[in-house]
Amino acid sequence: KLNRVRSAVAHLVSSGGAPPSRPKSPDLPNATSAPPAAPPQAPRSPPARAGSGGAAPARTVEARASFSRPTFLQLSPGGLRRADDHAGRAVQSPPDTGRRLPWSTGYAEVINAGKSRHNEDQACCEVVYVEGRRSVSGAPREPSRGQGLCFYYWGLFDGHAGGGAAEMASRLLHRHIREQLKDLVEILQDPLPPPLCLPSTPGAPGSSDSSQLVGPQSCWSSQKEVTHESLVVGAIENAFQLMDEQMARERRGHQVEGGCCALVVVYLLGKVYVANAGDSRAIIVRNGEIIPMSREFTPETERQRLQLLGFLKPELLGGEFTHLEFPRRVQPKELGQRMLYRDQNMTGWAYKKIELEDLRFPLVCGEGKKARVMATIGVTRGLGDHNLRVCSSTLPIKPFLSCFPEVRVYDLTQYEHCPDDVLVLGTDGLWDVTSDCEVAATVDRVLSAYEPNDPSRYTALAQALVLGARGTPRDRGWRLPNNKLGSGDDISVFVIPLGGPGSYS
Amino acid sequence: KLNRVRSAVAHLVSSGGAPPSRPKSPDLPNATSAPPAAPPQAPRSPPARAGSGGAAPARTVEARASFSRPTFLQLSPGGLRRADDHAGRAVQSPPDTGRRLPWSTGYAEVINAGKSRHNEDQACCEVVYVEGRRSVSGAPREPSRGQGLCFYYWGLFDGHAGGGAAEMASRLLHRHIREQLKDLVEILQDPLPPPLCLPSTPGAPGSSDSSQLVGPQSCWSSQKEVTHESLVVGAIENAFQLMDEQMARERRGHQVEGGCCALVVVYLLGKVYVANAGDSRAIIVRNGEIIPMSREFTPETERQRLQLLGFLKPELLGGEFTHLEFPRRVQPKELGQRMLYRDQNMTGWAYKKIELEDLRFPLVCGEGKKARVMATIGVTRGLGDHNLRVCSSTLPIKPFLSCFPEVRVYDLTQYEHCPDDVLVLGTDGLWDVTSDCEVAATVDRVLSAYEPNDPSRYTALAQALVLGARGTPRDRGWRLPNNKLGSGDDISVFVIPLGGPGSYS
């Protein structure tokens, strides 16, 4: 998403320094398949931490090679080389032998056609056990209160400007989520509404009688009811932020490269939480019907948020950019003429007289896949990018990016799902060339060719989706059956069965 | 929307000054029915103004009594007194004799049950002719280019803290819209896409060959296509802003009292534009189906925008408020405990340790009709309110309010409408006690009792809707047939037929 406009725009922004050098990580494919994932039943516990402060839950990141594929692919060194081959673009899936992914989840991926050195997508699929947090004093809770919680977790991470952020997020984001849920283990299992206030006294029970704490001077006639569901949403939101902060802390020592979009699914206590920060997408296909479970965050969809920020904090524009949008670049000779523009409060367009400030480069420009913030980046939410600066300038872009996901909730218990009902997650490599309807058609076509209880059908579906977006090499390019160009991007797909044989267990 | 929480909260915010005195306008009912509306075919032209600057299109507002009703009601002095009677709450509609409203629009209103001294709702319905703007030099365009445009206009204005803003908006907002459209008269009638750039040279045609102006250094591969529709949207948006700025300029001399929500419909060149700033609502009922045409802007629906502003500009909180949301007021004795909160980036909730700053009053508090910004106001968009301050403080609230409407577009040519298809506009007095479905049921019930070509059926429907929301006096209150309380608020309703006998002409 970074590359295309960068060179074209280099001479357009004012200052003339060299572009920031981005250190390349050594290419050590053999090093990456070594450390196996900890078994999900007994993940390594991070050091206990008190309160809800910002301490990192996971161990300090060791310096790692930036080229790795998800461990559940169980790639041999030779397989890893094939997965890294831009010419062949072999579709990768977990082996049909051995342990399946939870819920018989299907997965497939393919590397890009040369856009970046390695596959910058990453993926993670885990069952995560959440132990209730020990009290602040360190004394364990009574056993009766100590029942933990399990959640199922799927994550797709689409990296840009390097593979480091996506790789780090795929290893650690679910641990941040676990850490945020630790405080909630008892509360979520209690049918009563969550307590509004928790005492700080060591060892005291979490569900204190907070109602007594309401003084007579409260101006609200009633307290706001907070649901269990909204606590899980808040936990996921804060986990994204803590993951992003960890990347900021560790980038100096360990070179967290670039940034990544993150699309994450958490299944907990009967509900599916889909959290999206970036331009990946999730849809549910249920009885042939499409239910969107995310929306994309791009310079176009977030234009008004970005413009408002530039308007309220003009120092973030560094005198190089204007928060106004124009339908094309304004030329100096047009000074005094009237041109179409959009302000942060507008969805329509109007004419304004061109002034000197309007000759600055627009904060948001371009359309569709070419839309950019500060002429540089095509996604506006995600993790990392702490080093990202405007080309040939020192202006940081991170202040305009948000690490917060939008979380949508789907209650699995409200509908009796059949084995053909699936949740499909894909990075933009899939969706750039495949519509929701085409995905639904492929779901129908592939799944109906397999027995409902055949657990390999979801992997076959994921492969079909990746193949359908990649195409086949023809006429010096990857082409789809309709002769249009296939996606030259990295493509990664999860197919999560909602009523399959192994679901919810 | 202002009153309920104000007194309760007075002692909670820090500084201890007296509440700002609000000057009352003299009660001069006889003075208000005097100036009849200018005939829509030939509205008085404001002085021509050059460029797209912020000059006011309308004459300076004369000091007027704040109590008036829409001129199209044609109220006699006696009728005006009856319309102002809180005890009787007689439903008012235009007389069945004489000229009908355009499109045979139905209208009905009723005063509140004592909540404020007068009816603070206002309404306007006009046919507005837009003459193309004369060129900057003052020379008239050639006649061939000078064909004007007509638009149909309906506006509902729900005032608060005084009737001045609503009254002023009902008289002037459509003139601001006309002024914004003057630049577009030729462009909107030209089938070619709007020119991106207009020359400033006097007398030069508006549709210059702007494509030549694109230099080779443009970083966009293509220009952004701007539609005619989005120009109308932009014109309406800017008209709202200019109306608001005019209120700010004139309030010193002429006491523009309070503020108002504004819900406006413009029909122009086959399309209906519904612009809403506040908590009024518009729905289309088409063949029994409900199509929402607006959404409400309240402290709850705009929580994240408000919190973000408070976070980015903490000086606007004056040390008295916190941008964080809590489910109830935090008590000083809870310092150090952990309480549920929501930050500007969150839709879920999480626990945080209470610190000293969290004892400040939350920027957004309360639920439903009791939700407030700065413990004061229950709507977050609208016109006016330039004087509004936090009770017993000098902190201005206006920076948190937006005067920009959300504009939705409905293409009337895409569907063959029948006489029972209507656009219903109502102030919150209607919607507080009436659901969309109940309105649709009333549409069906009332319209089916009249002949399709009876033009009085839409007024009958508007009256039925107002009556259904007001109820009848019983058990010391206004009650609905189900014995629930009716609305004690001002109630105003427009019923605009989309396929009626007089539509579009």
Side-chain angles (χ1 to χ4, degrees):
Chain A
K1 299 174 188 78
L2 291 172
N3 41 6
R4 269 170 292 189
V5 171
R6 274 207 150 168
S7 59
V9 86
H11 65 289
L12 292 176
V13 284
S14 61
S15 63
S21 66
R22 178 155 54 77
K24 275 225 178 72
S25 296
D27 187 8
L28 296 171
N30 290 331
T32 55
S33 56
Q41 291 74 13
R44 280 167 292 177
S45 273
R49 99 194 142 92
S52 57
R59 284 149 197 244
T60 304
V61 187
E62 309 107 55
R64 292 169 70 113
S66 71
F67 174 42
S68 69
R69 301 311 312 147
T71 47
F72 60 68
L73 287 176
Q74 302 175 41
L75 292 175
S76 66
L80 198 61
R81 274 192 299 276
R82 276 191 299 282
D84 197 35
D85 174 18
H86 296 284
R89 296 188 82 191
V91 174
Q92 307 293 322
S93 279
D96 212 12
T97 56
R99 195 157 56 87
R100 293 194 180 280
L101 291 178
W103 293 20
S104 302
T105 297
Y107 176 82
E109 63 164 55
V110 74
I111 194 172
N112 64 79
K115 162 184 164 168
S116 63
R117 181 152 181 195
H118 299 297
N119 187 340
E120 293 182 346
D121 282 2
Q122 293 292 346
C124 178
C125 178
E126 294 279 351
V127 186
V128 183
Y129 178 75
V130 191
E131 207 173 353
R133 192 183 299 288
R134 284 157 179 254
S135 64
V136 178
S137 68
R141 294 198 190 284
E142 313 89 89
S144 66
R145 295 183 164 278
Q147 301 296 335
L149 276 176
C150 234
F151 69 88
Y152 290 78
Y153 173 88
W154 298 260
L156 283 185
F157 306 91
D158 179 354
H160 52 252
E167 200 275 336
M168 187 173 181
S170 72
R171 272 189 302 115
L172 298 178
L173 180 55
H174 54 293
R175 298 189 181 187
H176 280 283
I177 294 173
R178 179 183 63 187
E179 202 65 15
Q180 292 302 303
L181 290 174
K182 277 190 176 177
D183 282 330
L184 309 174
V185 164
E186 289 172 40
I187 294 165
L188 295 176
Q189 292 175 100
D190 188 335
L192 290 173
L196 304 186
C197 191
L198 300 176
S200 56
T201 25
S207 51
S208 80
D209 46 356
S210 63
S211 58
Q212 296 178 354
L213 301 175
V214 185
Q217 56 175 150
S218 170
C219 91
W220 292 296
S221 56
S222 67
Q223 305 178 3
K224 196 162 258 188
E225 182 116 338
V226 173
T227 62
H228 290 93
E229 182 181 304
S230 70
L231 288 187
V232 178
V233 171
I236 294 170
E237 289 172 327
N238 279 338
F240 270 66
Q241 185 175 33
L242 291 166
M243 181 76 250
D244 193 56
E245 288 173 2
Q246 187 184 3
M247 288 182 183
R249 280 195 310 277
E250 303 198 358
R251 77 188 145 121
R252 289 178 195 85
H254 297 281
Q255 300 299 351
V256 178
E257 277 183 316
C260 66
C261 299
L263 170 59
V264 152
V265 173
V266 169
Y267 170 78
L268 177 66
L269 297 170
K271 287 178 177 168
V272 172
Y273 299 81
V274 180
N276 188 44
D279 63 358
S280 297
R281 186 187 297 172
I283 65 169
I284 285 174
V285 181
R286 189 181 76 181
N287 196 22
E289 182 198 1
I290 293 158
I291 305 170
M293 289 303 295
S294 69
R295 63 186 169 107
E296 287 85 70
F297 296 96
T298 68
E300 283 185 303
T301 65
E302 294 218 279
R303 172 182 64 84
Q304 290 185 282
R305 175 179 76 75
L306 300 165
Q307 287 186 297
L308 178 65
L309 185 56
F311 172 74
L312 292 175
K313 296 266 187 191
E315 65 272 21
L316 297 177
L317 301 172
E320 298 181 19
F321 291 89
T322 167
H323 77 278
L324 294 182
E325 185 188 14
F326 297 96
R328 63 164 172 79
R329 186 75 197 275
V330 181
Q331 307 298 316
K333 64 181 172 189
E334 291 166 336
L335 262 176
Q337 299 188 14
R338 289 186 306 142
M339 189 175 250
L340 287 172
Y341 80 103
R342 269 203 293 196
D343 207 342
Q344 79 275 357
N345 289 309
M346 300 167 68
T347 58
W349 294 81
Y351 290 97
K352 85 178 285 289
K353 197 169 178 176
I354 295 295
E355 294 161 58
L356 211 54
E357 286 190 3
D358 301 324
L359 297 178
R360 295 175 183 169
F361 204 84
L363 175 62
V364 176
C365 73
E367 278 184 291
K369 291 303 281 183
K370 289 179 180 164
R372 292 290 181 280
V373 180
M374 291 179 147
T376 305
I377 185 167
V379 286
T380 51
R381 298 213 190 184
L383 304 165
D385 286 319
H386 298 278
N387 286 317
L388 190 63
R389 279 163 208 284
V390 173
C391 190
S392 69
S393 162
T394 57
L395 203 59
I397 296 174
K398 182 68 175 173
F400 290 95
L401 308 179
S402 168
C403 65
F404 276 84
E406 182 187 73
V407 185
R408 298 196 184 180
V409 188
Y410 181 83
D411 190 340
L412 272 183
T413 65
Q414 293 298 301
Y415 187 92
E416 183 130 352
H417 293 88
C418 74
D420 287 7
D421 296 337
V422 291
L423 171 58
V424 178
L425 316 182
T427 52
D428 64 339
L430 172 69
W431 303 105
D432 284 349
V433 297
T434 323
S435 69
D436 292 2
C437 287
E438 289 167 334
V439 166
T442 305
V443 167
D444 180 52
R445 178 172 56 79
V446 174
L447 293 188
S448 62
Y450 285 77
E451 291 295 318
N453 60 356
D454 182 345
S456 69
R457 63 207 301 260
Y458 305 109
T459 296
L461 173 53
Q463 289 171 335
L465 289 169
V466 169
L467 270 170
R470 183 201 68 176
T472 47
R474 182 156 37 93
D475 299 344
R476 278 170 301 167
W478 293 84
R479 291 194 182 271
L480 307 181
N482 62 11
N483 216 36
K484 284 190 183 158
L485 279 177
S487 172
D489 201 353
D490 304 315
I491 311 168
S492 307
V493 171
F494 270 126
V495 175
I496 304 171
L498 299 179
S503 301
Y504 328 143
S505 60
Chain B
K1 298 175 188 75
L2 292 170
N3 42 5
R4 270 170 294 190
V5 171
R6 277 206 146 169
S7 61
V9 87
H11 65 287
L12 292 175
V13 285
S14 61
S15 63
S21 65
R22 176 154 54 76
K24 275 224 176 75
S25 296
D27 187 8
L28 296 173
N30 290 329
T32 55
S33 55
Q41 290 74 12
R44 280 168 292 178
S45 274
R49 99 196 143 91
S52 57
R59 283 151 198 242
T60 304
V61 187
E62 310 108 54
R64 291 167 69 112
S66 71
F67 173 43
S68 69
R69 300 314 310 148
T71 47
F72 60 68
L73 286 178
Q74 303 174 41
L75 291 175
S76 65
L80 197 61
R81 274 192 299 276
R82 276 192 299 281
D84 197 36
D85 173 20
H86 297 283
R89 297 189 81 191
V91 174
Q92 307 293 322
S93 280
D96 212 13
T97 56
R99 196 158 54 87
R100 294 195 178 279
L101 291 178
W103 294 19
S104 301
T105 296
Y107 175 81
E109 63 164 54
V110 74
I111 195 171
N112 64 80
K115 162 185 165 170
S116 63
R117 181 153 179 195
H118 298 299
N119 187 341
E120 293 182 346
D121 283 2
Q122 293 292 347
C124 179
C125 178
E126 295 278 353
V127 186
V128 183
Y129 178 73
V130 191
E131 206 173 354
R133 189 182 301 288
R134 283 157 180 255
S135 65
V136 179
S137 68
R141 293 198 192 286
E142 313 90 88
S144 65
R145 294 183 165 278
Q147 300 297 334
L149 276 177
C150 235
F151 69 87
Y152 291 78
Y153 173 87
W154 299 260
L156 283 185
F157 306 92
D158 179 353
H160 52 252
E167 200 275 336
M168 186 174 181
S170 72
R171 272 189 303 117
L172 298 177
L173 179 55
H174 54 294
R175 299 190 180 187
H176 281 283
I177 294 173
R178 180 184 61 187
E179 202 64 15
Q180 292 301 304
L181 290 174
K182 277 190 176 176
D183 282 331
L184 308 174
V185 164
E186 290 173 39
I187 294 166
L188 294 176
Q189 291 175 100
D190 188 335
L192 291 174
L196 304 186
C197 191
L198 300 177
S200 58
T201 25
S207 51
S208 80
D209 46 357
S210 64
S211 57
Q212 295 178 356
L213 301 174
V214 185
Q217 56 176 149
S218 170
C219 90
W220 292 297
S221 56
S222 68
Q223 306 178 3
K224 195 163 261 188
E225 182 116 341
V226 173
T227 61
H228 290 92
E229 180 180 306
S230 70
L231 289 188
V232 179
V233 172
I236 295 171
E237 290 172 326
N238 278 338
F240 271 66
Q241 185 175 31
L242 290 167
M243 181 74 250
D244 193 56
E245 288 172 3
Q246 187 184 3
M247 287 184 183
R249 279 196 310 277
E250 304 198 358
R251 76 186 147 125
R252 289 176 196 86
H254 297 281
Q255 300 299 351
V256 178
E257 277 184 316
C260 68
C261 300
L263 170 60
V264 151
V265 173
V266 170
Y267 170 79
L268 178 66
L269 296 170
K271 287 177 178 169
V272 171
Y273 300 81
V274 180
N276 188 43
D279 64 357
S280 297
R281 186 187 296 171
I283 66 170
I284 284 174
V285 181
R286 189 181 74 182
N287 196 20
E289 182 199 0
I290 293 158
I291 304 171
M293 288 303 296
S294 69
R295 63 187 168 106
E296 287 85 71
F297 296 95
T298 66
E300 283 185 303
T301 66
E302 294 217 280
R303 172 183 63 84
Q304 290 186 281
R305 175 179 77 74
L306 300 166
Q307 288 185 297
L308 178 66
L309 185 56
F311 172 75
L312 292 175
K313 298 266 188 191
E315 64 272 22
L316 297 177
L317 302 172
E320 297 180 20
F321 291 89
T322 168
H323 77 277
L324 294 181
E325 184 188 14
F326 297 95
R328 63 165 170 78
R329 187 74 198 274
V330 181
Q331 307 296 318
K333 64 180 174 190
E334 291 166 336
L335 262 177
Q337 299 188 13
R338 288 187 304 143
M339 190 174 248
L340 287 172
Y341 81 104
R342 267 203 295 197
D343 207 343
Q344 80 275 0
N345 289 308
M346 299 167 70
T347 57
W349 294 81
Y351 290 98
K352 86 177 285 289
K353 197 169 177 174
I354 295 295
E355 294 161 60
L356 212 52
E357 286 190 1
D358 302 324
L359 298 179
R360 294 175 183 168
F361 205 83
L363 175 61
V364 176
C365 73
E367 277 184 291
K369 291 301 282 183
K370 289 179 181 163
R372 291 290 181 280
V373 180
M374 291 179 148
T376 306
I377 185 166
V379 286
T380 52
R381 298 213 191 183
L383 304 166
D385 286 320
H386 298 278
N387 285 315
L388 190 62
R389 281 163 207 285
V390 173
C391 190
S392 70
S393 162
T394 58
L395 204 58
I397 295 174
K398 182 67 175 173
F400 290 94
L401 307 179
S402 169
C403 65
F404 276 85
E406 182 187 74
V407 185
R408 298 196 184 179
V409 188
Y410 180 82
D411 189 340
L412 271 183
T413 66
Q414 293 297 300
Y415 186 92
E416 184 131 354
H417 292 89
C418 74
D420 287 8
D421 297 335
V422 290
L423 171 57
V424 178
L425 317 183
T427 52
D428 65 339
L430 173 69
W431 303 106
D432 284 350
V433 296
T434 322
S435 70
D436 291 3
C437 287
E438 288 167 333
V439 167
T442 304
V443 168
D444 180 50
R445 178 172 56 80
V446 175
L447 294 187
S448 61
Y450 285 77
E451 291 296 320
N453 60 356
D454 182 344
S456 69
R457 63 206 303 260
Y458 305 109
T459 296
L461 173 53
Q463 290 171 334
L465 289 169
V466 169
L467 270 172
R470 184 202 67 176
T472 47
R474 183 157 34 95
D475 300 345
R476 279 171 301 167
W478 293 84
R479 291 194 181 271
L480 308 180
N482 61 13
N483 217 35
K484 284 187 183 161
L485 279 176
S487 172
D489 202 353
D490 302 315
I491 311 168
S492 306
V493 171
F494 269 127
V495 174
I496 305 171
L498 300 179
S503 301
Y504 328 145
S505 60

